[in-house]
Amino acid sequence: MKQLLAIVLFLSFPSASINAASESYLDRPEVKHFIDDFSDRHQYPKSSLIALISNVKKQTEALNAIQRPAEKKKNWREYREIFITTKRINEGLRYWGENAQILEAAEKRFGIPPEIIVAIIGVESFYGRYEGRYPVLDSLVTLGFEYEPRKKFFREELEHFLLLIREEALDPDTIKGSYAGAMGKSQFISSSYRRYSVDFDGNGKRDLWESNADAIGSVANYLKEHGWQTGQPVAFPVNIHGDRYKELLGKGLKPTASISELAQYGVEPGKELLTAKGDVALLEFKKDNSSEYWAGLKNFYVITRYNHSHMYAMAVYQLSQQVKQKFKDYVAKN
């Protein structure tokens, strides 16, 4: 009797393992269309695409993570405390010391200050310690076919990833990154990897995982290609008076206000800002019960091309200044 009951239950309620086995992205018409279209446009063997996607596992955690990024969930105090720490500053000093010649060569070739490169790698991957734990292929397929707000973007990134592994002879089964598919010490998404990474150590490969030279050179090239102005400042704190300053807020990260017109909006620039060149964007950094205000120049905007968040760019900038001072102190003592 017990055996009969077990059989009835089995037939009525299929096991989770059977359901999981039957669930495949290959069963979806939109995935089939993607495979056919991509194969035709890029002369990519359809059998290879089918084999790759057949092993993809849905990354539910990536779907959850992308809906709660730190930039949207935390205020400036909370966000800053993640990245401006004694440990990250000290590790930045060590990373700079170990790669001083590479950083000097990158500055000479691309015009990017060492401290900015060090800070970006420090914020992105803690100098290569935390490069991500999500299978990149699985994450991109999941987000490209499950995450409605940005399906188009992630399908494009999936295309770039498939082309990248062919161009660089990479093993897709071993590549892990952030929940959004960013990879290596510099945390480049696939399109950025293909477009901006460089073989800075000259070994014939663009390796953002193992090569500090390639990671450093690629970050520098990325910033240069996005318009970094060599020798120009990044941002300055400002004071605000009245309410007219609010008219400058919400205009985006791109500098559009001239320094000379700030006063009419109740924005009081310091002496250093008054001598700077170019337009600025007024930025508000909300803390627990107050806010601080900064004027971001073109180079601040360039940093936001890495991550479109003013808090991200400010964390990079402030970390860069802390590491730079630490490096100066170290050189002076030695």
Side-chain angles (χ1 to χ4, degrees), residues 306-326:
Y306 219 102
N307 179 319
H308 296 185
S309 160
H310 69 304
M311 290 199 297
Y312 168 87
M314 185 56 72
V316 166
Y317 176 61
Q318 292 192 2
L319 178 61
S320 77
Q321 298 309 290
Q322 296 270 11
V323 174
K324 180 181 180 180
Q325 186 59 54
K326 199 87 171 179

Side-chain angles (χ1 to χ4, degrees), residues 238 240 245-246 248-250 252 267 280-284 293-296:
V238 296
I240 54 98
Y245 74 93
K246 294 179 182 178
L248 295 179
L249 294 176
V267 179
V280 299
L282 181 64
L283 307 164
E284 180 180 25
Y293 298 88
W294 287 71

Side-chain angles (χ1 to χ4, degrees), residues 165-326:
I165 61 176
R166 180 170 69 177
E167 293 163 354
E168 302 291 331
L170 301 173
D171 180 0
D173 294 330
T174 63
I175 299 176
K176 294 186 177 181
S178 73
Y179 61 79
M183 300 169 283
K185 291 178 169 65
S186 56
Q187 289 291 279
F188 273 13
I189 56 176
S190 298
S191 57
S192 294
Y193 200 127
R194 295 185 67 222
R195 192 172 299 139
Y196 302 111
S197 65
V198 296
D199 172 22
F200 205 50
D201 59 15
N203 70 349
K205 295 172 58 179
R206 299 183 298 173
D207 183 357
L208 301 184
W209 291 275
E210 301 298 330
S211 173
N212 283 322
D214 288 1
I216 288 168
S218 296
V219 170
N221 185 51
Y222 185 97
L223 296 176
K224 178 186 177 183
E225 290 297 318
H226 281 83
W228 183 273
Q229 297 178 336
T230 302
Q232 295 302 308
V234 174
F236 293 107
V238 296
N239 294 316
I240 54 98
H241 307 283
D243 292 322
R244 270 207 79 189
Y245 74 93
K246 294 179 182 178
E247 296 177 34
L248 295 179
L249 294 176
K251 289 191 174 183
L253 298 169
K254 193 170 185 178
T256 57
S258 67
I259 296 171
S260 61
E261 70 178 318
L262 291 178
Q264 71 186 61
Y265 289 96
V267 179
E268 180 186 339
K271 292 181 180 179
E272 290 180 311
L273 179 55
L274 286 173
T275 61
K277 298 177 181 179
D279 294 339
V280 299
L282 181 64
L283 307 164
E284 180 180 25
F285 296 84
K286 295 181 179 179
K287 297 185 283 189
D288 297 325
N289 298 305
S290 63
S291 294
E292 60 183 75
Y293 298 88
W294 287 71
L297 290 98
K298 175 64 181 294
N299 284 344
F300 187 90
Y301 177 73
V302 171
I303 297 173
T304 67
R305 300 308 86 198
Y306 219 102
N307 179 319
H308 296 185
S309 160
H310 69 304
M311 290 199 297
Y312 168 87
M314 185 56 72
V316 166
Y317 176 61
Q318 292 192 2
L319 178 61
S320 77
Q321 298 309 290
Q322 296 270 11
V323 174
K324 180 181 180 180
Q325 186 59 54
K326 199 87 171 179

Side-chain angles (χ1 to χ4, degrees), residues 8 52 102 120 135-136 144 150 160 164 175 184 206 220 252-253 266 273 291:
V8 171
L52 285 171
I102 300 170
I120 284 180
V136 171
R150 299 188 72 191
H160 281 291
L164 177 67
I175 299 176
R206 299 183 298 173
L253 298 169
L273 179 55
S291 294

